[in-house]
Amino acid sequence: MVTNSHQLVASAGFWANKSVLITGHTGFKGSWLTLWLNRLGAKVSGISLPPVTAPNLFQLAAIETRNKPSQFCDIRHVEQLKDRIWDVKPEIVFHLAAQPLVRASYRDPLDTFNTNVMGTANLLEALRGIESVKSVVMITTDKVYKNHEWSWPYREIDALGGHDPYSASKAASELVIASYRDAFLAEKGIGIATARAGNVIGGGDWSEDRLIPDAIRSWTSGKPLHIRRPDAVRPWQHVLEPLHGYLRLAEALFKDIAFAGAYNFGPSAQETAPVRTVINLAREIFGQGEILYSNDNEGPHEAGLLALDNSKSHSVLDIRPKWRLSETIERTMNWYRAQAEGQDSAALCHNEIEAYEDTL
């Protein structure tokens, strides 16, 4: 393992003209990542299903026009996936395509496992035959750890597990990734790593069963927001925080496969907070909105306490959180307000990216 962070000072123009493939580029994080890579001068291609929400950032920010070629493909279909990747011949791959929701995984566990486990295996199998590939970042989740509801944060060496199908599918995908790395990809000189990020928030997310999108939908329609578990604690962070980590990790792997492995990306320990704190801050900034707390524990099981230890990404990649929780929430709510007032979604994202880059 390489541990000297000074080796990771970003080289000027590294991303310019790099061929980059993003799976799941039509999603919330994928859309932000596509915009950032375009800004850095990369040649970005995407493989994904069509956007699943209306509205969605992919269409609002006209990402399709910035992303050539953009191909709709189900990662569960391995031969189709191979054909699409062969057409692109990427140097760097970011794998974000997934079924990403805990409650949805209870409704359809088989689809969740097929997408998150076999879809990941299909992608890795496709990459075995692409000589151009040098660096692969596979995005999993902070929920891959066997959650003991203990008070200290999880480290990359802690046991994997998962009570709900989503968490279990992502933990299983970690084993699939490690197997392909050790059995096939390392000997081909391909650097591959997994990224386990905490809960992300930011403008442009309209997914179901997510705190801020649910709040925006409720408050803009004049309805109360129902909160099931207000005391659940999560490692909240702005979407640009883990995306910066993904970019740094991909560059490190491109230069040296010794950076392969698993990495946590989350806020500092004091910024981990309960749902109640986050939503009260959001309402204060939004200026209106009713919140109904229920403490409903009768629904599907969800973890009550989850925190990440990000010391490895600090020491190895020189990654440190830049925006505190209060600023993250303020920026997020201001993004939604500005977008609702008619400001251009892509411009709003680029302004946020520029502000974040100024902190680096």
Side-chain angles (χ1 to χ4, degrees):
M1 171 59 66
V2 179
T3 58
N4 293 325
S5 61
H6 71 271
Q7 298 182 42
L8 292 176
V9 175
S11 56
F14 170 81
W15 290 98
N17 296 315
K18 287 288 190 304
S19 177
V20 180
L21 172 65
I22 302 174
T23 72
H25 69 297
T26 61
F28 168 55
K29 288 170 74 174
S31 294
W32 275 94
L33 181 58
T34 301
L35 287 170
W36 201 346
L37 282 165
N38 285 140
R39 178 184 177 91
L40 294 171
K43 296 178 180 178
V44 185
S45 302
I47 292 176
S48 182
L49 294 177
V52 297
T53 66
N56 60 80
L57 184 59
F58 181 76
Q59 293 174 326
L60 287 174
I63 291 173
E64 177 66 30
T65 65
R66 296 170 166 84
N67 200 40
K68 302 294 183 180
S70 179
Q71 304 185 67
F72 295 128
C73 171
D74 192 327
I75 61 172
R76 292 172 297 183
H77 301 156
V78 64
E79 294 304 324
Q80 187 181 66
L81 183 61
K82 286 180 178 180
D83 290 342
R84 298 293 188 274
I85 296 175
W86 181 260
D87 289 342
V88 173
K89 295 182 177 63
E91 299 169 86
I92 299 171
V93 177
F94 294 95
H95 178 47
L96 285 79
Q99 191 299 95
L101 301 172
V102 170
R103 288 169 70 86
S105 77
Y106 281 107
R107 294 194 296 267
D108 196 343
L110 284 182
D111 177 71
T112 299
F113 282 109
N114 282 334
T115 300
N116 294 349
V117 182
M118 288 310 302
T120 295
N122 289 341
L123 175 64
L124 293 165
E125 180 65 19
L127 295 179
R128 288 179 63 189
I130 307 296
E131 296 298 329
S132 59
V133 176
K134 291 180 62 66
S135 173
V136 183
V137 177
M138 312 288 285
I139 284 70
T140 59
T141 178
D142 57 349
K143 298 174 181 63
V144 298
Y145 296 107
K146 185 174 179 59
N147 196 319
H148 299 281
E149 302 284 345
W150 55 33
S151 58
W152 54 87
Y154 293 96
R155 303 165 298 169
E156 291 86 349
I157 60 174
D158 286 327
L160 302 180
H163 182 284
D164 59 89
Y166 168 72
S167 301
S169 71
K170 284 295 193 174
S173 75
E174 289 268 357
L175 298 179
V176 172
I177 294 163
S179 173
Y180 265 83
R181 179 180 60 232
D182 297 341
F184 306 115
L185 300 181
E187 65 185 23
K188 295 173 65 68
I190 298 174
I192 183 167
T194 58
R196 305 166 180 174
N199 290 46
V200 296
I201 58 177
D205 188 6
W206 282 277
S207 302
E208 66 168 320
D209 284 331
R210 285 185 181 160
L211 183 61
I212 298 300
D214 284 349
I216 293 297
R217 278 188 290 267
S218 297
W219 295 343
T220 55
S221 62
K223 298 178 181 179
L225 172 67
H226 293 266
I227 299 295
R228 298 186 306 275
R229 294 177 173 86
D231 298 317
V233 176
R234 296 289 185 269
W236 311 92
Q237 59 187 329
H238 194 278
V239 63
L240 293 178
E241 300 276 18
L243 293 187
H244 174 232
Y246 304 167
L247 292 170
R248 291 292 294 273
L249 180 54
E251 180 176 349
L253 289 165
F254 191 92
K255 296 174 178 177
D256 190 342
I257 66 170
F259 287 97
Y263 294 82
N264 288 340
F265 296 103
S268 54
Q270 63 268 28
E271 294 296 298
T272 299
V275 169
R276 189 189 305 272
T277 297
V278 173
I279 203 60
N280 283 337
L281 282 171
R283 180 176 59 178
E284 180 180 341
I285 295 164
F286 195 71
Q288 64 183 49
E290 183 181 0
I291 305 173
L292 298 179
Y293 297 108
S294 67
N295 280 307
D296 177 15
N297 292 313
E298 296 181 359
H301 174 273
E302 295 181 67
L305 174 61
L306 179 58
L308 291 178
D309 184 323
N310 56 18
S311 58
K312 179 180 177 181
S313 61
H314 286 183
S315 61
V316 177
L317 299 174
D318 198 24
I319 296 292
R320 289 171 174 78
K322 301 301 181 182
W323 288 341
R324 301 192 63 180
L325 179 60
S326 57
E327 182 174 1
T328 290
I329 297 172
E330 182 176 7
R331 287 183 174 278
T332 298
M333 302 310 290
N334 287 342
W335 191 104
Y336 283 107
R337 181 185 296 111
Q339 189 274 333
E341 292 171 351
Q343 294 191 40
D344 180 73
S345 297
L348 290 171
C349 291
H350 281 294
N351 289 342
E352 291 288 86
I353 295 170
E354 184 176 4
Y356 189 84
E357 288 175 337
D358 287 342
T359 70
L360 301 178

